[in-house]
Amino acid sequence: MFVARRDLGFAKGRFALMGTVIVLITVLVGLLSGLTAGLGRQNISAITGLPADRLVFSAPADGQKLSFTDSQVNPAQWDGWAAVPGVRSAEPLGIGTARATAGARTAALSAFGVPAGSALAPGGDLLAPGRVVLSASAAKDLDVRAGSTLALAGRELTVAAVSGDAAFSHLPVVWTSLADWQLLAPPAAGSPGSGTGAATGTGEHATVIALSLSSADGLADADRRFATKALTPDDSLAAIGSYTSENGSLQLMRGFLFAISALVVGAFFTVWTIQRSGDVAVLKALGASTGYLLRDALGQAVLLLVAGTAVGTAIAVGVGAAVGSAVPFVLDAPTVLVPAAVMTGLGALGAGLSIRRITSVDPLTALGSAR
């Protein structure tokens, strides 16, 4: 990088401007990556954190998609699944939304109902009718702790514990016993769980069935038999109404920023290579090989990219740490190091494509001997 280092020292203004652009793009990509991960965690962490191998939905009507909102299963279905070979356990899981009140504070929460003592809930052994487990965010919003009381959809309940920080559909989670949840979310009229007792809100029902498996054989046959659809927790995320569109939009924006970074770096080095044609011609006339010149130019681009990306990443980490308590933001290796590596790689690719013209520089033509 003999020539590259002298270029960097000679044209400080140009390279400082390009470095600033790389820093700003890196900051944008880093912040967007942390925000995307934070919003995603607020939407799905309660589902991805479930200790379950499959989630079983009621089969949707023709033309409709699976949805946590529309799914409803009954005791016959979860008892039937429990008897399927290869299924170690089949536990009903109710998911709904409820408003909680504690003193002067109110908060909208995602209510997850599980059988008392279930391992699906953090602190599930403390769950019982009349007792709930709150996520840390829910406890903070309501300013309560273990032993406090709160009103959930008008019913007074005791906080048995504060555990985890699960969220679903951008709402913190409150874990209740399935019996309490069924009172909070009575079955829809005409649904499988809306038979005897539905009029008083005591019909037995749940949203999905959480399976623990020793073997996945026979799941398709069981789905047909019980009119259900079993999915892995990761595959079931598409059934969360806002997750696919929200996450897809943010990922598309991040992809555009990566593409823009490659184009900007490529355009800069294209112009820079054109302006250096005379210098390249002199070096070739003095015996410098094309491979040497290519390595020199690409090393210059990588050096600029690494420096700019490092500064931009440091700024993004600092901003993310500062706003992490106010907005959903995740700071970890995938949101910090992966965007930096992709930025450097795509920028180097763009620069590599732009400096190919070095291979076609003719010393005689570039030095003007053809005129």
Side-chain angles (χ1 to χ4, degrees):
M1 291 180 58
F2 179 82
V3 179
R5 289 197 303 270
R6 280 151 183 78
D7 270 343
L8 290 170
F10 176 76
K12 294 184 181 70
R14 294 180 184 179
F15 285 103
L17 178 61
M18 186 58 201
T20 301
V21 172
I22 293 173
V23 168
L24 292 176
I25 294 177
T26 303
V27 170
L28 285 174
V29 172
L31 293 178
L32 185 60
S33 297
L35 183 61
T36 299
L39 289 172
R41 185 173 65 180
Q42 274 197 345
N43 221 343
I44 65 174
S45 62
I47 299 300
T48 56
L50 288 172
D53 298 310
R54 296 289 191 278
L55 294 180
V56 179
F57 295 76
S58 59
D62 291 340
Q64 293 186 332
K65 296 181 179 180
L66 286 176
S67 168
F68 281 101
T69 303
D70 298 330
S71 178
Q72 189 163 277
V73 294
N74 57 44
Q77 290 171 312
W78 66 70
D79 288 342
W81 269 100
V84 172
V87 174
R88 287 197 295 262
S89 66
E91 297 186 78
L93 170 64
I95 301 174
T97 304
R99 181 165 292 278
T101 304
R105 297 202 176 197
T106 62
L109 305 178
S110 286
F112 275 49
V114 296
S118 171
L120 293 175
D125 56 322
L126 300 175
L127 281 177
R131 294 166 62 84
V132 299
V133 174
L134 290 179
S135 65
S137 296
K140 181 180 178 181
D141 290 345
L142 295 170
D143 192 23
V144 295
R145 58 187 59 85
S148 302
T149 59
L150 58 83
L152 192 64
R155 299 188 66 249
E156 189 168 301
L157 303 168
T158 300
V159 179
V162 176
S163 181
D165 200 18
F168 177 81
S169 196
H170 296 295
L171 295 176
V173 169
V174 54
W175 297 89
T176 74
S177 69
L178 186 62
D180 282 338
W181 181 87
Q182 289 167 347
L183 295 174
L184 299 173
S191 64
S194 60
T196 304
T200 59
T202 59
E204 289 192 67
H205 67 290
T207 303
V208 294
I209 306 166
L211 302 181
S212 175
L213 303 176
S214 58
S215 170
D217 296 337
L219 297 186
D221 290 338
D223 273 334
R224 286 190 294 269
R225 196 184 331 154
F226 303 121
T228 56
K229 180 65 176 178
L231 298 175
T232 64
D234 286 343
D235 289 340
S236 73
L237 300 181
I240 301 174
S242 61
Y243 175 71
T244 302
S245 56
E246 177 186 277
N247 190 65
S249 298
L250 291 171
Q251 294 292 359
L252 182 62
M253 292 170 61
R254 192 167 72 150
F256 274 126
L257 283 175
F258 284 137
I260 289 170
S261 69
L263 290 174
V264 169
V265 173
F268 176 84
F269 279 100
T270 296
V271 174
W272 187 243
T273 302
I274 293 172
Q275 292 177 339
R276 293 173 58 200
S277 294
D279 296 335
V280 172
V282 170
L283 290 170
K284 279 195 169 184
L286 292 174
S289 67
T290 298
Y292 169 82
L293 294 173
L294 286 173
R295 289 192 300 272
D296 187 79
L298 188 58
Q300 184 183 68
V302 170
L303 181 62
L304 186 64
L305 281 165
V306 169
T309 301
V311 174
T313 299
I315 294 173
V317 169
V319 174
V323 304
S325 59
V327 298
F329 197 91
V330 173
L331 276 178
D332 56 15
T335 61
V336 174
L337 300 181
V338 172
V342 173
M343 278 285 298
T344 303
L346 289 179
L349 177 63
L353 293 175
S354 69
I355 63 178
R356 287 182 307 137
R357 63 181 298 112
I358 289 177
T359 62
S360 61
V361 172
D362 178 20
L364 292 178
T365 301
L367 291 173
S369 64
R371 292 198 301 269

